[in-house]
Amino acid sequence: MSGEPSLFSRASAEIIDLHRFFVDWFVAARADKADFGRFERVMGKGFGMVAPDGQVLDRDAVVDHVRTSRASCDDGFAISIEDIRPGWQDADTIVVLYVEAQLRAGKHSRRQSSAVFTTSSSAPNGVEWRHLHETWLQVPER
């Protein structure tokens, strides 16, 4: 058996690392230390997303949205990742389910997410995002 981390371990690390990037990128006081190129590298070719409101976004729309949202939150913005668990997988592809909890402008929200990852030797954790589907677990506070 090789010493290489499992596909699930690599995908789990990627989920946590990407959400750390989001906090750094979105919080005005920390945005200068965030590496946007890392975000672009892990968004695989053909990436697509179903946002919690049902909107379907392609890779370019997601990348542009994140790029233009730099430094848009105050220091109170936080994300935690909970209940990471594996779904279907084969040798090079895995579906991972997790709950993303956010605190933004004093309001809490939670979303159930399922993400598809494929292996990529050039990605920081050895996987890249191929698809993401998010569903609100409650109506977000306004």
Side-chain angles (χ1 to χ4, degrees):
M1 188 162 147
S2 79
E4 182 177 321
S6 70
L7 184 55
F8 175 64
S9 294
R10 289 179 283 153
S12 296
E14 176 55 35
I15 291 166
I16 292 166
D17 289 351
L18 186 70
H19 288 86
R20 283 183 188 141
F21 159 80
F22 288 145
V23 172
D24 288 344
W25 184 255
F26 294 143
V27 172
R30 299 163 66 172
D32 287 342
K33 77 175 198 171
D35 176 9
F36 191 78
R38 189 242 186 252
F39 169 70
E40 288 182 301
R41 284 191 305 279
V42 298
M43 292 292 108
K45 183 178 179 179
F47 173 81
M49 175 182 179
V50 179
D53 64 2
Q55 186 176 12
V56 178
L57 304 167
D58 65 12
R59 183 186 187 280
D60 290 342
V62 172
V63 170
D64 288 346
H65 171 75
V66 172
R67 181 184 289 115
T68 61
S69 298
R70 181 181 177 275
S72 60
C73 296
D74 63 26
D75 289 342
F77 178 66
I79 298 175
S80 63
I81 301 300
E82 306 164 356
D83 197 23
I84 299 176
R85 58 196 186 281
W88 175 89
Q89 83 174 77
D90 71 8
D92 297 337
T93 305
I94 188 169
V95 176
V96 179
L97 302 123
Y98 62 94
V99 173
E100 177 183 338
Q102 285 191 15
L103 175 62
R104 182 187 303 241
K107 311 261 189 224
H108 293 272
S109 66
R110 291 168 50 84
R111 59 194 84 182
Q112 177 66 59
S113 301
S114 60
V116 177
F117 296 90
T118 56
T119 58
S120 170
S121 61
S122 63
N125 288 305
V127 294
E128 59 185 15
W129 297 75
R130 302 310 300 249
H131 183 79
L132 175 62
H133 189 131
E134 297 182 330
T135 302
W136 290 122
L137 290 175
Q138 84 289 328
V139 176
E141 298 175 28
R142 303 228 184 246

